[in-house]
Amino acid sequence: MAPLPDGFSYAEWNATYNALSFGIAAMGSATIFFWLQLPNVTKNYRTALTITGIVTLIATYHYIRIFNSWSEAFTVASKDGGDYTVQLTGAPFNDGYRYVDWLLTVPLLLIELILVMKLPQAETVSLSWKLGLASALMVALGYPGEIQEVLSVRWFWWCLSMIPFCYVVFTLAVGLAEATSKQPSPAAASLASAARYLTVLSWCTYPFVYMVKSVGLAGPAATMYEQVGYSLADVLAKAVFGVLIWAIAAEKSAVEESGKVLPKAHPYV
C-alpha cells in the first residue's frame, strides 16, 4: 500500500469524498431495490436477482470501509474563517478494499448475467466457471501493479491482467450474441444485449483509470482521478447493470406468466 502524496487541495479531497459517498448511496439503495423486487419475478430468475443484490451489498460494505479510510487519512479544517486546508494524519488509506471487492463481485456480476439469460444447464455451468475464473484472475493480476510506483512494473501487471480481460470482453460481445437473440421476446433480447454491452463499456473504463498514474499524472490529482473514476465505473458496472438484470428478469417473468394464463382450446374444437 503506497502512502498518499501530500499537498491535496480541498477541491481534490472533496471530489474523492463525494464520489465515495455517492458509491455508498448508489450501491445501498440498489441492494434494497433488488431484494424488494424478488417477489415480482418468477422463481427461475430469483437466484440471478438475489446475486445482483449480494453484489451491491458487498460493494456497499467496501465503499463504507474506503470512505472511512479516506476520512481518517486527512484532517480538514478552516483557520480563522479562511479556506479549508487538507493535511495528512499519517493514517494509511487502504485502497486494497477495492480489489477485495472486485475479487468477490466481478465473477458474480458475470454469473448473474448468465443465469438471467437462462441458457441450457451445461452451458450455464461451463460459462460461469470460465468467465468467473477469468475475471478473478484479471483482478488478481491487476493488484500487484496497482500498489507499485515504478511505471515499468505497473505496465507489466497491466498487460498480464489484460489477457483474461480481453477473453471476458470477447465472450460478452461475441460469444453470447447467439444466446441473446434466442430470448423469449424482443424486449428481453434488447435488454440482454444492453446488459452485455454495458458490461463491456463499464469494464473498459477500468484499464484507463488504472493507467492514470502511468501517463504522466502524479500526486494528489492522479489519486483524485483514480478514486473518482473507479467509483463511477463501479456504479455503472454494479448498480446500473443490476437494474438491467432486474429488467430482464421482470420482462421474462411477464412473458412466462402470460404464457401460463393463455386460454385453453375448447375440447371440441
Side-chain angles (χ1 to χ4, degrees):
M1 185 189 312
L4 286 168
D6 202 358
F8 275 87
S9 68
Y10 177 68
E12 291 167 335
W13 175 86
N14 198 44
T16 302
Y17 183 93
N18 289 329
L20 296 174
S21 179
F22 174 68
I24 296 171
M27 302 298 186
S29 57
T31 301
I32 295 170
F33 172 77
F34 298 144
W35 286 350
L36 286 177
Q37 290 299 314
L38 281 172
N40 298 328
V41 300
T42 62
K43 64 179 183 180
N44 290 329
Y45 307 106
R46 287 176 188 166
T47 299
L49 201 56
T50 300
I51 293 175
T52 305
I54 290 173
V55 165
T56 50
L57 178 65
I58 293 171
T60 302
Y61 167 76
H62 284 112
Y63 265 86
I64 291 172
R65 297 302 300 269
I66 298 170
F67 178 86
N68 290 340
S69 184
W70 181 260
S71 299
E72 292 166 1
F74 296 92
T75 297
V76 182
S78 173
K79 186 177 181 180
D80 300 326
D83 293 337
Y84 285 103
T85 59
V86 180
Q87 299 292 331
L88 293 173
T89 63
F93 172 56
N94 187 359
D95 198 28
Y97 288 125
R98 285 198 185 278
Y99 278 81
V100 175
D101 177 84
W102 292 338
L103 194 61
L104 294 170
T105 59
V106 170
L108 290 176
L109 283 168
L110 297 172
I111 290 171
E112 71 189 56
L113 175 60
I114 294 166
L115 288 175
V116 83
M117 293 183 74
K118 202 179 177 184
L119 303 172
Q121 184 176 1
E123 188 176 358
T124 296
V125 172
S126 176
L127 277 173
S128 295
W129 276 107
K130 289 177 182 177
L131 294 182
L133 291 174
S135 60
L137 180 61
M138 173 190 70
V139 174
L141 290 173
Y143 183 67
E146 186 71 72
I147 60 176
Q148 291 290 330
E149 294 295 321
V150 180
L151 294 185
S152 60
V153 178
R154 287 181 65 85
W155 280 111
F156 171 76
W157 288 107
W158 181 87
C159 291
L160 285 183
S161 66
M162 288 300 291
I163 296 172
F165 172 87
C166 290
Y167 167 74
V168 173
V169 168
F170 176 82
T171 302
L172 290 172
V174 179
L176 290 177
E178 183 179 354
T180 301
S181 66
K182 294 179 180 179
Q183 296 302 300
S185 72
S190 177
L191 288 166
S193 181
R196 286 167 47 228
Y197 287 114
L198 176 65
T199 304
V200 172
L201 175 64
S202 62
W203 277 36
C204 284
T205 62
Y206 290 98
F208 289 104
V209 176
Y210 186 98
M211 289 189 295
V212 162
K213 294 179 179 178
S214 305
V215 293
L217 283 175
T223 300
M224 178 200 68
Y225 285 125
E226 184 179 59
Q227 294 301 319
V228 172
Y230 280 149
S231 298
L232 295 177
D234 275 349
V235 170
L236 278 176
K238 296 171 185 174
V240 177
F241 175 76
V243 171
L244 285 176
I245 294 296
W246 161 75
I248 296 168
E251 169 64 21
K252 295 178 75 170
S253 295
V255 171
E256 291 179 5
E257 290 294 333
S258 65
K260 291 178 182 178
V261 298
L262 288 175
K264 295 181 180 179
H266 193 281
Y268 298 106
V269 173

